[in-house]
Amino acid sequence: MKLRSLPTVLLVLAVSALTVTAQAPLKIATIDLRKVFDGYYKTKQADVGLKEEAAGLEKTAKGMLGDYKKANDEYKQFAESANDPAVSAEERARRDKNAKDKLLEIRQLEQQVQSFQRQSEATLLEKRRRMRENLLREIREAIVTKARSGGYNLVIDTAADSVNQTPVFLLADTGVDLTDDMIKALNAAAPAGALAPSP
């Protein structure tokens, strides 16, 4: 039997939970994982680092675009001077060659700029993905440790969304929400100033 949808999986989990309840008391807690992730000081530090890297890449891209614009201006001057009837045919041919060389340089610069922008975007996306994955792993481990020490069998993420971008749990009021406790626990080792609001 294939499970094709999240509601089916949730139904199976609910039935399993009821079965476990019949054997031993089921202790359930909730957590808003999105709030914990956003409130974790390491998330804020990583975001600042990514923004700084993005700003550095943008500065490099602007410099490359400046070189491209300068080459375009030089090309226009070469092209105009190659058509100057006041100079000899030999000089016009030399200027025409300079214009063609500059046009080739412009095309190479254009390709470099496009390549740099694509590579920069891909690098930042990959770093953001890895950062998110690593932080979520760290947060999950802390939640599991906290849940086990509290004797909880199940911790429900109230921020979880289904494939349709709708809440998975319409009501998850267990009376025990670990969100604020987890944020405090994760931020206990935060360096001085790490929790200050960003300017």
Side-chain angles (χ1 to χ4, degrees):
M1 178 178 158
K2 279 190 173 180
L3 299 177
R4 294 180 182 226
S5 65
L6 187 58
T8 307
V9 172
L10 293 175
L11 181 60
V12 170
L13 285 173
V15 170
S16 299
L18 291 174
T19 306
V20 171
T21 306
Q23 297 170 358
L26 184 64
K27 199 169 174 189
I28 302 173
T30 58
I31 194 162
D32 184 333
L33 190 56
R34 188 175 298 131
K35 186 176 176 183
V36 172
F37 182 81
D38 291 342
Y40 189 21
Y41 81 95
K42 287 186 180 180
T43 302
K44 294 174 184 180
Q45 287 179 331
D47 282 342
V48 167
L50 284 172
K51 284 177 184 172
E52 287 173 358
E53 187 170 347
L57 291 170
E58 189 175 330
K59 185 177 178 182
T60 301
K62 281 183 181 176
M64 292 173 80
L65 287 170
D67 292 344
Y68 174 77
K69 185 182 180 311
K70 182 180 172 189
N72 257 322
D73 292 342
E74 289 173 357
Y75 167 72
K76 287 175 187 171
Q77 289 174 351
F78 285 142
E80 286 173 13
S81 69
N83 294 324
D84 187 355
V87 295
S88 69
E90 187 178 293
E91 179 61 21
R92 278 198 307 270
R94 189 183 69 73
R95 291 179 182 183
D96 186 53
K97 183 185 178 320
N98 286 343
K100 287 177 181 171
D101 289 346
K102 190 54 74 173
L103 187 59
L104 184 62
E105 181 185 332
I106 288 169
R107 288 186 179 140
Q108 289 171 344
L109 284 171
E110 206 170 70
Q111 289 174 350
Q112 288 173 358
V113 168
Q114 291 171 354
S115 176
F116 179 79
Q117 288 174 332
R118 277 192 307 271
Q119 186 61 43
S120 297
E121 286 174 19
T123 299
L124 286 174
L125 281 172
E126 177 59 19
K127 283 188 177 184
R128 183 173 296 283
R129 185 195 64 75
R130 272 189 282 122
M131 175 271 297
R132 183 176 174 78
E133 195 175 274
N134 291 337
L135 289 174
L136 282 172
R137 185 181 311 113
E138 193 175 317
I139 291 168
R140 277 192 209 114
E141 288 171 4
I143 292 170
V144 167
T145 301
K146 173 98 173 149
R148 285 189 177 143
S149 71
Y152 295 99
N153 309 91
L154 183 64
V155 178
I156 298 171
D157 178 12
T158 57
D161 285 337
S162 71
V163 216
N164 298 325
Q165 302 300 310
T166 58
V168 172
F169 300 101
L170 300 178
L171 177 64
D173 186 10
T174 62
V176 180
D177 188 321
L178 302 176
T179 305
D180 292 335
D181 289 343
M182 284 310 308
I183 292 173
K184 285 177 192 167
L186 287 165
N187 290 333
L195 298 172
S198 303

